[in-house]
C-alpha cells in the first residue's frame, strides 16, 4: 500500500466537472504510476482536455479529488497551484503557446527562471535541452520563424525545464503534419523510455500506439475502455 | 431593414457586456473629462466677465447718488427715478454716516466713519444684495455690513459711534454697487438722525465714467447731488485685484480643456482599436463594412453618453461652487457658474469629439480585410523591440520585471500614447503646483502681508503732533514688539507722470517689512535711494543705477534708483523717509506697522496697545492677511490636480486593459508554466510603472518650463514684472512630488486591470486559441 502510494504519480477519485449543469467529466477515477505513459483518447467534447487541465491544476473539479505526486491539487490556492505547476508538471500544448516575443532559448529558460534559477544558469540548461532535442542551431530563432515541429519541440523542452515528475501533453501532434508528428512522437517515446511519466491526450491512434503503455478511452465524460498496451503493438483489445 | 439593425445592436450590446471594465472606464473618463471641461469653461468665463456677470445678475446700479436731506425732500428725490435715461431705480434710502469713536472700535472703521442706509429688504429692482453670512436686519439695534466676516469683522460684533445707539452685526452682504458700508432697518435709520438720501440708478447709457456722470445729471434734473459712486470705480477696483489672476486662471482652464480632449480621444479610439480582432469574425458572419463601423461606434456610444451626462452635472456643480467662491472672495454677488448654453455646447462638444475619436478607427475597422483585422491585434514583429525585450529578460532583473519592462517596447504606439497622457498629467500637476506657489507668493510678498499689526494715529489727539520717531518709540516699548516702522505717504512730482505720484516713505526699522516683490536690483537701505514700481521703470525705460529727479513740497532733488518692485501701477515709489525734505506745515500722521515677536498673538497685542495707547490717540488693528485668496487657489488647484490625475490613471487603466486583452494568451501561458498571479500583477504594473517614471522625467521639466513661461508672460502682459522668487518656486520637494505623481498614477491605474488579468482562468484562455 505504502509503496503503491509512492509510485502513484496521478490519482483521480470520482472526479466530476460540470459547466453550467452539463458534465464535462462525470465521475472519473484514474491512476497513473511512475514511468507509465497513458494516452487518453475519445471523441471531441468527451472531456479529455478537461481531465488534463484538472491534473495540471489549471482547473478545479466540481467534486472528487485530484492527487498529483501526493499533493491534493483540488484543495490548493492560486499561489500553491502556481508553485505546483512550475515544479511538478510540465505541459505541452496543441498550439505550442510559446511567447512570440522571445527567442526559443528564452522561452525555455523562462520556466527555469520561474523556479528561481539565475538567468545565466537557466539559459545554460535551456541550451542543453534544445541541443538534446536537436534544436541547437535554432536557439536564437523566434517562434514565428520556426516550423510547427520545431515549435513543438521547444514546447517540450520548456515543459522539461524543471525536470517535472509528470509530463502532460494535450494533442501534441494535433497541429502538425504526419512527418513532424512522427518526430514528436519519437521524442515522447524516448523520454518515457528514460523514465519520464507521461499523460497525453490525443486523437491520433498512431501516436497512442507508438508511445503509450496504456490507453484510456473517454465518451461523454466517462471512461468507457482501458487497456494495457504492448508498446509498438496494435490497439489490441478492440 | 429591421434585421441587420438589430444584429448591429445585439453585437454592440454584447461588446459592452463583454467588456464591463472598459465600458465603465470609458464612462468614468468621459464623465471626468466633461466635468473638467465644464469647470475649465467656468474658469475661463469667470476670468473674462466675472464683474459684468455679477453686475448683471445683481442688477447693480450704474450710479449710487447721495442727496443732502437738508436741501431736498424725499418726494423730490423719489421723482428722479422717472428722470430721462433712467431704466430702473431703487430708493430713496435714508442714510447717515456714523463717526468713528475716539477710542478703539470693535468693528474697524475708516476715519471718515461708516455710512449706513435704511433698507427694508435686500432684493428689489436695482442692487440686489447677496448675504454672505448671517441674516438680513429685522429690527432695531441690528446692522448688516458690506463684505464678508474676516478677522475682527464678525457676526455679533458691535458698531459704536459717539451719541448713537449701539448696533450688533447680524449679517454680511455683498453688492455689485458702491455706496454705503452697511444697512439697517428704515425704522432704525430714522433713530440714527439721518441726513441724506441714497438713490440707486440703472441708466440706458453708462458705457464710461463720463456717460455715467451725464446720465446722472440728466436724472437728477438740477437737484443738488452731494456725491455719487459710479459702478466704474467698483469695476476698476475689482479688475485691479483680479486681473493679476486672470492669466493663471486662463492657464488652468486651458489645461483642463486640453487634458479632457486628449483623454477622451485616447480612451475612445483605444476601445475601438482593441476590438479589431473580432472584425474578422463579424465579416465572416456577413456584416457589411458599414455595419461593422456601427457596431464599434455603438459600443462606445452608451458609456460616452452616460458619462457625458454625469460629467455635465458634476461640472455644473463644481463650476458653480468655484465661481461662487471667487465672487465671494472679491465681494461680489455670485453670478452662478457656467451659462447653460455654454454647458450644452460643452456636452455637445464632448459627444462630437467622442464620436470622431470612435469613428476614425471604426471606419478603418469597417474597411479592414478580415484577415488583416485578425492580425491587427497581435503583437508587433519589430526587430529592435524584440532585441530590447530579449535583453531585458536576460538581465539579472527579476523575471516579472524584465518581462514587464518589455511590454511597452512591444507596443510602441500605444505606449507612446499612454506616456503622452502621463506626461500631460505630470506637466499639468507640476505647473499647477508651481502656479499655486507663485500666486501664494504674490499674495504674501508685499509689505502689508509682512505686517502683523497696524497702528493708526488720531490726528485730534496729542499723538497727532508727535514725530514719527517718537510714535515708533512708544509702540516699540510695548512688550512683544519685534519691529516697528512708520510709513507716510507724500505727494511727489515725477517727470513723465502728469497726474503726480505718491512716495511711500518708511522710517525706523523698515528692512524686515520690505517684501519679496523685487523684480530687479535691491531695496533702499538709506536716504537718497528710491525703488519705483516695475511698471514705471518700463514706462520710462529706466534701469537700476539711473538717477531720478523728483519734486516734493516744491523742493527738487535727485534720487538714485536701486531696484524696482513688481506692481502694475506706474505712480508708486518706495524710499527712506529721510530722503525727502521735512514736510511744510502740519505733517500727515504716519501709519505705524508692527511685526510682533514669535509666539505673540497679534490680536492680543493689538488689544493691549488699544488699552495702553488710547490716551495717546493710538489705535491698533491686526492686519488681517487676505488668506481667502490663498485658500481659494489651494482649493482650485487641489480639485484640478485630482481630476487630472484620475483622468491620467484611467488612461493607464485603459491601456493595461487593452494590453491584457491582447496578451491574454501570453498571460495564460505564463500562468500555465507556473507564474503565480502576484507575479503576473507585478509584471503588468511594472510595464506601466516604467511609463510613469518616464512620464515624470519628461513631464516635470516640461511643467517647470511651462510655468516659467506663463509667469514671465503674465508679468510682461501686466507690465508689473515678476519677482525672481515668484518665478523660481521649485525646490526639490516640489519637483519630486509631481515626479512621484506620475509613478503613483501609473501604478494605481494599472493595478485593477492587472489583478483582473492575473485572475483570468488559464484553461479558458488557452482553449480559445
Ligand atoms: N470553460 C468551459 N466552459 C464551458 N464548457 C466547457 C468549458 N471547458 C469545456 N467545456 C465543455 O466540456 C466538454 C468537454 O470539453 P473538453 O475540452 O474537455 O473536450 P475534449 O475531449 O478535449 O474535446 P476535443 O477533442 O475537441 O479537444 C465540452 O462539452 C465542452 O463544451
Ligand atoms: Mg481538447
Amino acid at each position: 500500500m505504502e509503496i503503491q502510494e509512492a509510485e502513484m504519480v496521478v490519482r483521480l477519485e470520482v472526479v466530476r466537472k460540470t459547466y453550467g449543469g452539463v458534465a464535462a467529466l462525470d465521475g472519473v477515477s484514474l491512476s497513473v504510476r511512475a514511468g507509465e505513459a497513458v494516452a487518453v483518447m475519445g471523441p471531441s467534447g468527451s472531456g479529455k482536455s478537461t481531465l488534463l487541465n484538472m491534473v495540471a491544476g489549471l482547473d478545479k473539479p466540481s467534486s472528487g479529488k485530484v492527487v498529483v505526486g501526493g499533493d491534493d491539487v483540488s484543495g490548493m490556492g492560486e499561489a500553491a497551484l502556481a508553485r505546483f505547476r512550475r515544479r511538478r508538471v510540465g505541459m505541452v500544448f496543441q498550439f505550442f503557446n510559446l511567447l512570440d516575443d522571445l527567442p526559443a532559448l528564452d522561452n525555455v529558460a523562462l520556466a527555469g527562471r520561474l523556479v528561481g534559477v539565475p538567468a545565466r544558469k537557466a539559459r545554460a540548461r535551456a541550451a542543453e535541452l534544445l541541443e538534446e532535442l536537436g534544436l541547437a542551431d535554432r536557439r536564437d530563432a523566434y517562434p514565428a520563424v520556426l516550423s510547427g515541429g520545431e515549435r513543438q519541440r521547444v514546447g517540450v523542452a520548456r515543459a522539461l525545464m524543471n525536470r517535472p515528475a509528470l509530463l502532460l501533453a494535450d494533442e501534441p501532434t494535433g497541429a502538425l503534419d504526419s512527418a513532424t508528428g512522427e518526430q514528436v512522437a519519437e521524442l515522447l517515446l524516448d523520454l518515457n523510455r528514460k523514465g519520464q511519466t507521461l499523460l497525453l491526450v490525443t486523437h491520433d491512434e498512431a501516436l497512442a500506439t507508438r508511445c503509450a503503455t496504456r490507453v484510456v478511452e473517454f465518451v461523454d465524460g466517462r471512461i468507457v475502455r482501458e487497456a494495457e498496451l504492448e508498446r509498438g503493438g496494435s490497439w489490441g483489445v478492440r | 431593414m429591421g434585421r441587420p439593425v438589430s444584429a448591429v445592436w445585439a453585437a454592440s450590446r454584447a461588446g459592452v457586456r463583454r467588456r464591463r471594465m472598459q465600458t465603465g472606464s470609458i464612462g468614468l473618463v468621459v464623465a471626468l473629462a466633461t466635468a473638467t471641461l465644464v469647470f475649465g469653461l467656468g474658469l475661463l468665463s469667470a476670468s473674462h466677465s466675472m464683474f459684468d456677470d455679477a453686475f448683471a445678475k445683481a442688477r447693480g446700479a450704474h450710479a449710487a447718488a447721495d442727496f443732502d436731506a437738508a436741501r431736498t425732500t424725499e418726494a423730490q428725490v423719489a421723482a428722479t427715478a422717472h428722470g430721462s435715461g433712467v431704466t430702473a431705480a431703487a430708493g430713496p434710502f435714508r442714510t447717515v454716516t456714523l463717526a468713528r469713536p475716539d477710542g478703539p472700535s470693535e468693528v474697524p472703521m475708516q476715519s471718515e466713519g461708516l455710512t449706513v442706509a435704511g433698507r427694508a429688504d435686500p432684493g428689489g429692482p436695482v442692487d440686489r444684495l447677496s448675504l454672505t453670512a448671517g441674516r438680513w436686519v429685522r429690527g432695531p439695534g441690528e446692522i448688516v455690513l458690506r463684505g464678508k466676516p474676516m478677522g475682527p469683522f464678525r457676526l455679533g460684533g458691535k458698531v459704536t459711534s459717539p451719541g448713537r445707539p449701539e448696533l450688533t452685526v447680524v449679517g454680511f452682504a455683498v453688492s455689485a454697487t458702491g455706496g454705503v458700508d452697511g444697512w439697517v432697518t428704515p425704522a432704525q435709520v430714522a433713530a440714527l438722525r439721518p441726513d441724506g438720501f441714497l438713490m440707486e440708478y440703472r441708466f440706458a447709457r453708462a458705457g464710461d465714467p463720463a456717460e455715467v456722470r451725464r446720465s446722472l445729471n440728466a436724472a437728477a434734473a438740477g437737484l443738488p447731488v452731494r456725491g455719487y459712486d459710479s459702478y466704474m470705480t467698483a469695476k476698476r477696483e475689482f479688475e485691479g485685484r483680479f486681473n493679476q489672476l486672470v492669466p493663471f486662471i486662463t492657464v488652468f482652464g486651458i489645461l483642463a480643456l486640453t487634458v479632457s480632449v486628449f483623454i477622451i480621444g485616447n480612451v475612445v479610439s483605444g476601445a475601438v482599436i482593441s476590438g479589431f480582432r473580432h472584425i474578422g469574425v463579424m465579416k465572416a458572419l456577413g456584416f457589411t463594412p458599414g455595419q461593422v463601423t456601427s457596431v464599434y461606434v455603438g459600443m462606445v456610444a452608451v458609456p460616452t453618453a452616460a458619462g457625458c451626462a454625469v460629467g455635465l452635472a458634476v461640472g455644473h456643480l463644481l463650476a458653480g461652487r468655484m465661481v461662487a467662491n471667487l465672487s465671494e472672495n472679491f465681494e461680489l454677488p455670485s453670478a452662478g457658474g457656467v451659462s447653460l448654453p455654454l454647458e450644452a455646447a460643452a456636452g455637445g462638444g464632448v459627444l462630437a469629439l467622442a464620436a470622431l475619436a470612435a469613428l476614425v478607427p471604426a471606419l478603418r475597422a469597417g474597411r479592414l480585410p478580415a484577415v488583416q483585422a485578425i492580425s491587427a491585434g497581435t503583437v508587433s514583429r519589430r526587430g529592435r523591440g524584440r532585441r530590447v525585450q530579449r535583453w531585458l529578460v536576460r538581465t539579472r532583473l527579476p523575471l516579472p520585471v524584465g518581462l514587464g519592462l518589455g511590454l511597452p517596447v512591444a507596443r510602441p504606439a500605444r505606449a507612446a500614447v499612454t506616456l503622452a497622457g502621463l506626461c500631460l498629467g505630470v506637466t499639468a500637476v507640476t505647473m499647477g503646483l508651481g502656479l499655486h506657489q507663485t500666486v501664494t507668493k504674490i499674495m504674501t510678498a508685499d509689505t502689508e502681508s509682512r505686517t502683523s499689526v497696524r497702528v493708526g494715529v488720531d490726528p485730534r489727539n496729542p499723538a497727532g503732533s508727535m514725530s514719527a520717531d517718537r510714535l515708533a518709540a512708544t509702540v516699540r516699548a510695548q512688550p512683544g514688539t519685534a519691529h516697528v516702522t512708520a510709513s507716510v505717504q507724500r505727494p511727489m512730482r515725477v517727470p513723465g507722470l502728469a497726474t503726480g505720484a505718491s512716495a511711500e516713505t518708511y522710517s525706523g526699522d523698515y528692512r524686515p517689512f520690505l517684501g519679496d516683490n523685487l523684480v530687479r536690483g535691491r531695496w533702499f537701505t538709506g536716504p537718497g535711494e528710491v525703488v519705483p514700481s516695475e511698471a514705471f521703470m518700463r514706462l520710462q525705460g529706466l534701469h537700476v543705477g539711473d538717477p531720478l529727479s523728483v519734486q516734493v513740497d516744491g523742493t527738487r532733488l535727485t534720487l538714485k534708483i536701486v531696484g524696482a518692485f513688481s506692481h502694475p501701477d506706474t505712480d508708486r515709489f518706495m524710499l527712506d523717509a529721510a530722503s525727502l525734505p521735512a514736510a511744510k506745515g502740519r505733517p500727515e500722521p504716519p501709519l505705524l506697522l508692527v511685526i510682533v515677536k514669535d509666539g505673540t498673538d497679534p490680536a492680543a497685542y493689538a488689544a493691549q496697545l488699544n488699552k495702553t495707547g488710547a490716551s495717546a490717540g493710538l489705535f491698533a488693528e491686526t492686519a488681517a492677511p487676505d488668506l481667502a485668496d490663498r485658500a481659494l487657489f489651494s482649493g482650485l488647484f487641489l480639485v484640478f490636480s485630482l481630476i487630472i490625475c484620475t483622468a491620467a490613471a484611467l488612461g493607464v487603466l485603459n491601456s493595461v486593459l487593452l494590453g491584457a486583452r491582447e496578451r491574454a494568451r501570453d498571460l495564460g501561458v505564463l500562468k500555465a508554466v507556473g507564474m503565480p498571479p502576484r507575479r503576473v500583477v507585478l509584471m503588468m504594473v511594472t510595464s506601466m510603472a516604467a511609463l510613469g517614471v518616464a512620464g515624470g522625467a519628461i513631464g516635470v521639466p516640461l511643467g517647470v518650463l511651462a510655468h516659467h513661461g506663463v509667469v514671465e508672460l503674465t508679468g510682461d502682459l501686466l507690465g508689473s514684472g515678476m519677482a525672481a522668487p515668484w518665478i523660481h518656486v521649485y525646490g526639490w520637494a516640489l519637483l519630486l512630488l509631481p515626479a512621484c505623481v506620475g509613478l503613483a498614477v501609473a501604478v494605481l491605474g494599472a493595478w485593477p486591470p492587472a489583478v483582473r488579468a492575473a485572475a483570468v482562468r488559464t484553461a479558458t484562455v488557452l482553449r480559445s486559441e
Side-chain angles (χ1 to χ4, degrees), chain B residues 80-149:
Chain B
T80 61
H82 310 293
S84 71
V86 177
T87 55
F93 305 114
R94 316 195 107 215
T95 60
V96 57
T97 299
L98 304 176
R100 197 182 188 293
D102 287 340
S105 159
E106 229 178 272
V107 172
M109 285 163 74
Q110 305 279 314
S111 49
E112 24 334 335
L114 190 90
T115 305
V116 299
R119 185 164 170 168
D121 75 294
V126 175
D127 190 24
R128 295 179 185 146
L129 307 172
S130 341
L131 283 164
T132 54
R135 57 168 176 81
W136 191 246
V137 286
R138 286 188 198 136
E142 296 181 344
I143 186 169
V144 168
L145 292 178
R146 180 187 286 271
K148 59 187 168 177

Side-chain angles (χ1 to χ4, degrees), chain A residues 59 85-86 98 101 106 113, chain B residues 393-394 397 671 674 761:
Chain A
D59 216 339
R85 280 198 293 272
R86 60 181 189 254
L98 300 176
D101 289 332
D106 297 274
R113 296 288 307 278
Chain B
V393 169
R394 290 186 176 182
L397 290 171
K671 287 183 72 183
R761 298 166 60 86

Side-chain angles (χ1 to χ4, degrees), chain B residues 131-215:
Chain B
L131 283 164
T132 54
R135 57 168 176 81
W136 191 246
V137 286
R138 286 188 198 136
E142 296 181 344
I143 186 169
V144 168
L145 292 178
R146 180 187 286 271
K148 59 187 168 177
M150 201 173 70
F153 288 94
R154 59 180 189 283
L155 291 176
K158 301 277 189 260
V159 175
T160 49
S161 182
R164 302 275 187 3
E166 191 180 73
L167 300 169
T168 305
V169 180
V170 295
F172 286 87
V174 288
S175 149
T177 307
V180 297
D181 308 310
W183 297 270
V184 295
T185 61
Q188 175 68 67
V189 82
L192 292 171
R193 288 178 270 132
D195 61 358
F197 294 113
L198 175 76
M199 267 308 274
E200 295 180 318
Y201 305 98
R202 282 176 71 83
F203 298 125
R205 300 164 62 82
D208 58 55
E211 241 177 32
V212 172
R213 185 162 10 92
R214 277 198 298 274
S215 292

Side-chain angles (χ1 to χ4, degrees), chain A residues 19 24 43-50 171 203, chain B residues 767:
Chain A
Y19 289 111
S44 187
S46 57
K48 308 181 297 290
S49 297
T50 306
E171 313 269 17
H203 273 114
Chain B
R767 64 178 281 131

